[in-house]
Amino acid sequence: MNKKFYQMTLKERLDHLNLSADSRAILEQTALDAVVANNLIENQISEFEIPLGLAQNFVINDKKILIPMATEEPSVIAAASNGARMAQSFVAEISQRLMRGQIVFYDVKNLSVLTEKIATHHDAIFKKAQEAYPSIVKRGGGLRHIDSRFFDSGFLSIDFQIDVKDAMGANIVNAILEGVSALFYEWFPDEKILFSILSNYATESLVTVTCEIPVERLSKTGDGLAVAKKIERASQFAKLDAYRAATHNKGIMNGIEAVVIATGNDSRAVNAAVHAYAARSGTYQGLGDWSVSADKLFGTLTLPLAVASVGGGTKVLEKAKVALEIMQITDAQSLAKTIAAVGLAQNLAALRALVSEGIQKGHMSLQARSLALSVGASGDEVSALTQLLRQEKKMNQALAASLLKKLREKKK
Ligand SMILES: CC(C)(COP(=O)([O-])OP(=O)([O-])OC[C@H]1O[C@@H](n2cnc3c(N)ncnc32)[C@H](O)[C@@H]1OP(=O)([O-])[O-])[C@@H](O)C(=O)NCCC(=O)NCCSC(=O)C[C@@](C)(O)CC(=O)[O-]
Ligand SMILES: NC(=O)C1=CN([C@@H]2O[C@H](COP(=O)(O)OP(=O)(O)OC[C@H]3O[C@@H](n4cnc5c(N)ncnc54)[C@H](OP(=O)(O)O)[C@@H]3O)[C@@H](O)[C@H]2O)C=CC1
């Protein structure tokens, strides 16, 4: 009988693909422990590398910190470092860190019986939650609050707020919810549960980061106040127009996602939370606020960051462990504060560039290196072609390819 793809060994999977020898050799270049790679995901055939860099100049809550960022995009790490250089220091705060889970009933028959029983039997629910995941209680976490929200069309969401300590908490929350669901099935045999699942909209895990910047730091040509005022206007416009808001937030996520990935955290979860938060008013808006007062630019960014220093990929991927070691971070809250500061720095650098010289100058000058690589430059050719591209007013692949051709002809 033919094996299914997931039943094959790595070698069998590669044989099955029938690739050219060169392509196969590319897939065979790996660094992760083979057992880790094969067990972390399904149908594994190789690894996917992206560069890891270090953002410089960050001081968060009076502590200097080097920040690992994994990204394929040129200029992101330079921009984060540039934002941190201009801001010089950030203050970051978290008032609570809870994860929310939902048990959702549908076609509810008797709303008042359901909600009253739940409201008056919290002790039994808390006990069940504790039994479902005793180790998180031993760590000082566990269920904290229970609420309910009724929706038209007969849906009822029972919301559980759970302290998951330093984990992201998806598995912890889901295990607790499934334990409590069993109790609800006993209590409400005539009602129907649709599902029990963590919510990624982590509104009880908000981080706020602020910075204040003397305007002269924003410009090398003495027009810092004008630049600051334009940054303020740009942040106002990002609240008004979803087309701009998406790009504004993409700029913030350039930094956030890079640290999330470098630390083995779940980038899909963070993205979902941040974009849901950006739409919390009912309209999708740009995150963060910039305002000018006297000769200072004030920045603030609040966003949900349910990131972890344990669990998921954080302790399985060796480089994720080293990333936390470089930052000297051992707890989830410090990581969330750091990531929020990167988001604010990234936003500052992007907005400053946009409202002054434009994004292309800085971004494309760094993008030139990846353009050179994309047309096949190798070895010394990369820096030679990058230099040539930077002398051009506009650069694109066709130009890069023709410059590389000339470079090679000259060498002959
Ligand atoms: C690109 C820069 C930093 C150049 O900036 P610059 O002012 O031309 O360069 P500089 O030589 O004055 O350097 C300023 C600082 O940037 C850093 N820096 C400078 N160069 C490097 C480098 N090679 N490698 C590492 N770090 C670098 C470094 O920290 C340096 O300070 P120093 O340490 O020298 O005192 C600036 O133009 C910038 O911040 N631009 C923003 C770029 C950006 O946001 N890129 C993301 C991609 S674009 C995007 O995806 C989103 C966007 C922009 O559309 C979002 C939005 O619209 O809001
Ligand atoms: N919607 C979503 O976002 C979903 C995400 N996921 C995935 O779930 C994973 C995250 O789940 P999560 O529950 O966080 O991770 P884990 O299932 O890995 O659980 C974390 C474990 O870490 C241990 N731990 C050690 N130290 C601590 C500490 N200080 N604080 C808390 N826990 C500690 C705990 O084990 P113990 O106490 O038992 O020793 C805990 O069970 C990610 O891979 C994510 O991608 C899964 C489903 C849905």
Side-chain angles (χ1 to χ4, degrees):
M1 201 181 78
N2 281 345
K3 276 187 185 172
K4 295 197 174 171
F5 199 72
Y6 63 80
Q7 294 167 326
M8 293 177 188
T9 62
L10 179 57
K11 184 181 172 304
E12 287 167 342
R13 287 181 197 155
L14 293 178
D15 290 346
H16 184 80
L17 289 180
N18 245 335
L19 292 166
S20 68
D22 284 353
S23 298
R24 182 176 178 131
I26 288 171
L27 290 185
E28 281 172 343
Q29 280 171 28
T30 55
L32 282 177
D33 180 89
V35 176
V36 170
N38 193 35
N39 287 286
L40 202 55
I41 62 161
E42 307 74 39
N43 294 346
Q44 190 248 346
I45 56 164
S46 184
E47 289 157 21
F48 193 87
E49 304 82 7
I50 49 172
L52 180 68
L54 275 187
Q56 308 284 321
N57 309 328
F58 277 85
V59 177
I60 304 168
N61 294 345
D62 297 324
K63 204 175 143 215
K64 275 181 90 166
I65 179 167
L66 288 170
I67 305 180
M69 298 175 72
T71 180
E72 89 301 343
E73 187 171 1
S75 91
V76 164
I77 298 176
S81 306
N82 192 24
R85 180 189 63 86
M86 290 183 279
Q88 287 192 1
S89 69
F90 299 90
V91 175
E93 294 171 344
I94 293 178
S95 61
Q96 60 173 351
R97 186 178 184 277
L98 300 174
M99 290 304 286
R100 185 185 286 244
Q102 303 178 269
I103 297 182
V104 174
F105 289 87
Y106 69 112
D107 295 340
V108 168
K109 290 189 182 127
N110 199 330
L111 180 64
S112 57
V113 168
L114 248 173
T115 49
E116 247 178 74
K117 172 114 186 177
I118 290 171
T120 53
H121 288 75
H122 275 191
D123 285 357
I125 298 172
F126 273 79
K127 186 165 172 282
K128 194 75 185 176
Q130 185 162 343
E131 285 165 10
Y133 217 107
S135 60
I136 198 66
V137 180
K138 272 196 206 131
R139 293 184 187 281
L143 181 57
R144 292 287 182 262
H145 308 288
I146 308 170
D147 279 313
S148 63
R149 289 174 301 129
F150 183 68
F151 295 80
D152 289 344
S153 327
F155 292 105
L156 175 69
S157 175
I158 310 294
D159 293 355
F160 298 81
Q161 288 174 33
I162 297 169
D163 183 347
V164 294
K165 305 313 286 180
D166 295 308
M168 177 266 195
N171 293 322
I172 297 171
V173 170
N174 292 341
I176 291 176
L177 295 178
E178 287 182 11
V180 175
S181 293
L183 188 65
F184 286 178
Y185 279 120
E186 279 172 33
W187 285 356
F188 311 114
D190 296 335
E191 299 288 1
K192 293 186 286 189
I193 293 177
L194 190 57
F195 53 67
S196 312
I197 189 77
L198 160 106
S199 166
N200 284 107
Y201 188 22
T203 49
E204 287 77 34
S205 293
L206 295 180
V207 191
T208 296
V209 60
T210 56
C211 64
E212 51 178 85
I213 307 165
V215 294
E216 62 269 14
R217 275 195 225 134
L218 298 169
S219 167
K220 291 172 190 163
T221 54
D223 61 343
L225 185 59
V227 172
K229 285 183 175 164
K230 285 193 201 167
I231 291 175
E232 179 182 66
R233 297 296 277 162
S235 93
Q236 288 166 357
F237 186 65
K239 305 276 182 226
L240 302 176
D241 177 26
Y243 285 94
R244 173 56 203 155
T247 320
H248 176 102
N249 290 344
K250 187 274 182 183
I252 293 173
M253 295 312 288
N254 275 341
I256 289 183
E257 187 156 315
V259 190
V260 167
I261 291 173
T263 54
N265 270 279
D266 181 336
S267 58
R268 289 82 54 208
V270 171
N271 272 304
V274 169
H275 294 296
Y277 191 70
R280 68 194 179 284
S281 68
T283 306
Y284 186 85
Q285 295 189 316
L287 290 161
D289 291 283
W290 293 98
S291 60
V292 185
S293 180
D295 56 356
K296 280 191 180 159
L297 176 69
F298 293 85
T300 175
L301 175 67
T302 297
L303 73 179
L305 281 176
V307 289
S309 60
V310 296
T314 61
K315 294 283 184 269
V316 182
L317 297 168
E318 294 296 333
K319 285 185 185 165
K321 289 201 269 184
V322 177
L324 286 175
E325 185 189 324
I326 290 172
M327 292 188 281
Q328 297 180 353
I329 282 179
T330 53
D331 67 288
Q333 296 206 13
S334 301
L335 180 59
K337 289 174 187 170
T338 302
I339 292 176
V342 175
L344 189 60
Q346 204 80 53
N347 187 222
L348 171 65
L351 295 185
R352 191 214 55 83
L354 285 183
V355 302
S356 40
E357 73 271 10
I359 200 71
Q360 289 301 79
K361 183 174 169 281
H363 175 67
M364 284 314 284
S365 124
L366 296 172
Q367 174 94 20
R369 294 181 298 186
S370 84
L371 198 54
L373 291 169
S374 77
V375 295
S378 62
D380 294 348
E381 288 173 350
V382 179
S383 63
L385 181 55
T386 301
Q387 296 297 338
L388 290 176
L389 282 166
R390 283 183 182 152
Q391 287 160 24
E392 299 289 332
K393 272 211 174 91
K394 281 186 182 166
M395 52 178 100
N396 57 30
Q397 266 203 353
L399 176 68
S402 104
L403 287 174
L404 180 62
K405 200 169 158 220
K406 282 186 196 151
L407 207 68
R408 285 178 178 165
E409 277 162 6
K410 231 169 132 186
K411 249 186 172 178
K412 278 183 194 163

